[in-house]
Amino acid sequence: MDLTKERLSREAIAMRIAREFFDGAVVNLGIGIPTLCSSFVPEGMDVTYHTENGAMGFGRVVTDEDKAQWADIDLTNAGGQYVYPKPGMCFFNHADSFAIIRSGRIDISVLGVLEVNEKGDLANWMFPGRGVGNIGGGMDLAFCAKRIIGATEHTTKDNKAKIVKQCSIPLTAPHCMDMIVTDIAVIKFTAKGPILKEVAPGWTAAEVQELTEAKLIIAEDLKDIELL
Amino acid sequence: MAINKVFNSFKEAVGDVKDGSTVFIGNFAGPGGTPFFLIKALREQGAKNLTLVANTAGGIGLTLDYDDHRILFQNHQVKKMIASFPFSTSAKRPSEAEKQILAGEVELEMVPQGTMAERIRAGGAGIAAFYTPVGPGTVFEDGKERRYFNGRPYLMELGLRADIALVRAWKADTMGNLIFRGTQRQFNPIMAMGADLTIAEVDEIVQPGEINPNCVVVPSIFVKRIVKVTEKTDFPRHLETDFQVKEEV
């Protein structure tokens, strides 16, 4: 196995996920790769972002050159980044924010991944090797958003599989995953098992399987990941 | 006599906090919406064996140039922490709370964020308990009643109240009606509702009639004390604007 083979960048993973967004979608982006997705939404597509700390319909992350004018500690996303105000934006308290989540009004939640298993169980809150973690708002999203998309590198820093037979760390939510986009593959979770739908350019299904502990079903129409 | 809930100093406003109190603290991921001057006054006041309820356990934001509740841990005033995001994301930079939790000096109750918000809301709304769809089949189910409604599993969660709430708001009138600015709102309104003694730290105090009654977020009935911030902080805030824009930036 050639481990030096080129993989997709974090931006490319975000770009592929943004292709799942649709006009009018209400989207919640987790911290890390998920946050990058908002940069790749096609011009003219209207996507509304929701953040746990009580805002919806806000603008992009404030650029460095605009910080003097627009950075304000009273207008941030869940990662604490400054965002621009936007017409139609609204603010609400934390209970209302999670009322929006639990009542199924988030169309797509993009979350980071530590482990997923064959059944689509997600584990992403306990730091590996530290025995502690932060549950944060991820569990509410994983249980209640209409569709969960995972964004992650395919393997850990020391090349261990993240898509496993059984999760070794506590779950965020069982049977919640719809799809995962990694730096080498797009995998859809179904009742039959995880289906490998797309591979990064230059990668074969067999090579992806080698870095995946869970048994993958190869889609009949397997294709290369398309970013645009 | 007209009601006037204005206190002249943070010190006076927290002067009677008792040892063993449960304290709500408005807080999310950074300085916005955190009542740092009330927290600082509580450290000076020195009440011990506190149970804190806040989103984080302090000391993990992007910037640490302010007095969040980590200073209450530094001063060993905390016995128990209820939070959704208690640990530093970097193992190399553990927060003060994290050290005390791992050493067994402070008890931790971690609660999923939406469940924590709803427990606080329920506490303030006179609701003893409720069923949430979040958590069945995870370690957060341990010790909780599971019930099915329309075939879906739910867990029973208890309402949560506090003796004291330290909240941050934008403007108050002297009667205690509060309005907020942007994402400063977060946990603050529900915490204000859920405590016996709610103390608000605000940028501006105005006379009754100056806040549009249609826009009041926390009704004055929930607020007992108000203190105005006079000290300048270095954080970017443009208090002359309220984020209402007609066109995209």
Side-chain angles (χ1 to χ4, degrees):
Chain A
M1 176 83 240
D2 178 10
L3 290 172
T4 60
K5 207 161 168 170
E6 195 180 347
R7 300 183 178 201
L8 298 183
S9 64
R10 291 158 61 85
E11 285 73 17
I13 294 172
M15 214 182 275
R16 174 61 190 85
I17 291 172
R19 282 185 51 212
E20 300 297 310
F21 297 178
F22 55 91
D23 207 28
V26 178
V27 174
N28 183 295
L29 301 176
I31 298 166
I33 299 173
T35 310
L36 302 172
C37 295
S38 63
S39 306
F40 302 109
V41 175
E43 192 78 17
M45 185 187 282
D46 194 9
V47 173
T48 300
Y49 297 104
H50 165 274
T51 182
E52 288 90 323
N53 51 323
M56 234 175 131
F58 49 89
R60 294 165 294 125
V61 172
V62 173
T63 59
D64 284 341
E65 51 272 28
D66 269 2
K67 276 194 176 147
Q69 188 185 354
W70 289 106
D72 194 304
I73 60 166
D74 293 339
L75 186 52
T76 66
N77 64 20
Q81 293 169 302
Y82 303 121
V83 293
Y84 292 102
K86 198 174 159 182
M89 170 179 74
C90 59
F91 302 122
F92 31 84
N93 71 51
H94 235 85
D96 288 351
S97 183
F98 281 82
I100 290 168
I101 294 171
R102 277 193 311 271
S103 62
R105 287 174 161 96
I106 304 295
D107 294 310
I108 297 174
S109 163
V110 186
L111 292 170
V113 172
L114 291 172
E115 283 182 349
V116 292
N117 66 14
E118 294 175 333
K119 291 181 289 186
D121 297 349
L122 169 68
N124 77 346
W125 68 269
M126 175 93 73
F127 303 121
R130 274 173 76 189
V132 299
N134 293 314
I135 190 62
M139 181 173 275
D140 304 83
L141 285 159
F143 267 88
C144 300
K146 283 188 194 147
R147 192 171 172 216
I148 308 296
I149 301 177
T152 180
E153 282 86 17
H154 201 85
T155 48
T156 64
K157 285 195 181 79
D158 41 5
N159 273 305
K160 286 210 187 84
K162 286 185 151 201
I163 305 166
V164 295
K165 285 201 162 66
Q166 276 186 327
C167 292
S168 64
I169 46 176
L171 296 187
T172 308
H175 310 298
C176 64
M177 297 298 293
D178 178 69
M179 184 173 133
I180 186 168
V181 177
T182 75
D183 49 6
I184 58 170
V186 176
I187 294 165
K188 179 98 177 157
F189 293 87
T190 71
K192 283 184 270 176
I195 301 180
L196 178 62
K197 303 282 284 184
E198 300 171 29
V199 290
W203 287 74
T204 65
E207 286 168 336
V208 172
Q209 178 65 71
E210 217 174 309
L211 294 177
T212 310
E213 190 192 291
K215 176 82 185 117
L216 299 173
I217 302 166
I218 315 299
E220 282 173 23
D221 58 346
L222 179 74
K223 57 182 182 187
D224 276 2
I225 295 176
E226 289 167 18
L227 297 179
L228 298 169
Chain B
M1 203 178 99
I3 301 169
N4 184 353
K5 298 176 179 172
V6 179
F7 275 60
N8 290 320
S9 72
F10 293 101
K11 186 180 171 184
E12 262 178 87
V14 300
D16 51 0
V17 175
K18 293 188 182 67
D19 288 355
S21 297
T22 296
V23 184
F24 285 161
I25 299 179
N27 156 250
F28 183 66
T34 301
F36 8 101
F37 294 102
L38 282 170
I39 294 170
K40 202 167 151 185
L42 183 57
R43 183 191 55 188
E44 303 308 318
Q45 193 264 0
K48 300 263 185 229
N49 292 320
L50 302 174
T51 294
L52 301 187
V53 183
N55 189 47
T56 74
I60 60 169
L62 296 178
T63 162
L64 291 175
D65 281 347
Y66 63 101
D67 293 320
D68 73 2
H69 40 305
R70 75 180 180 288
I71 65 174
L72 303 177
F73 285 91
Q74 286 161 355
N75 202 30
H76 299 278
Q77 289 172 264
V78 186
K79 154 187 95 171
K80 181 175 177 182
M81 181 76 229
I82 302 178
S84 87
F85 207 95
F87 294 105
S88 168
T89 49
S90 159
K92 288 183 201 123
R93 289 182 287 109
S95 68
E96 185 60 33
E98 183 169 349
K99 291 178 204 159
Q100 294 181 19
I101 290 163
L102 294 177
E105 293 159 27
V106 168
E107 182 192 345
L108 171 69
E109 179 180 342
M110 186 156 59
V111 185
Q113 206 171 102
T115 300
M116 189 167 121
E118 191 62 16
R119 288 182 63 190
I120 294 165
R121 195 200 69 82
I127 302 290
F130 58 91
Y131 290 92
T132 177
V134 177
T138 73
V139 294
F140 289 86
E141 180 168 5
D142 294 352
K144 289 172 192 160
E145 183 200 341
R146 181 194 277 217
R147 243 180 105 170
Y148 287 82
F149 296 92
N150 298 319
R152 187 176 179 189
Y154 289 75
L155 301 180
M156 189 178 85
E157 295 282 355
L158 300 175
L160 186 58
R161 283 193 63 83
D163 301 300
I164 316 279
L166 306 183
V167 303
R168 185 68 162 95
W170 182 18
K171 291 181 192 176
D173 65 23
T174 55
M175 297 177 71
N177 291 303
L178 301 181
I179 62 169
F180 297 83
R181 188 169 176 275
T183 48
Q184 171 193 67
R185 192 178 302 204
Q186 28 115 330
F187 280 94
N188 285 298
I190 51 174
M191 287 183 163
M193 290 171 64
D196 295 336
L197 172 60
T198 292
I199 310 171
E201 171 177 325
V202 300
D203 294 297
E204 202 177 326
I205 300 175
V206 298
Q207 289 305 308
E210 288 187 49
I211 291 177
N212 182 335
N214 294 296
C215 299
V216 169
V217 174
V218 174
S220 60
I221 187 91
F222 294 117
V223 180
K224 294 259 170 57
R225 297 175 186 175
I226 318 151
V227 195
K228 181 177 151 59
V229 173
T230 49
E231 211 173 304
K232 276 265 181 207
T233 52
D234 291 337
F235 299 112
R237 288 180 89 211
H238 305 275
L239 287 175
E240 69 287 359
T241 65
D242 60 3
F243 304 128
Q244 185 176 3
V245 291
K246 297 260 164 61
E247 275 167 40
E248 202 156 337
V249 181

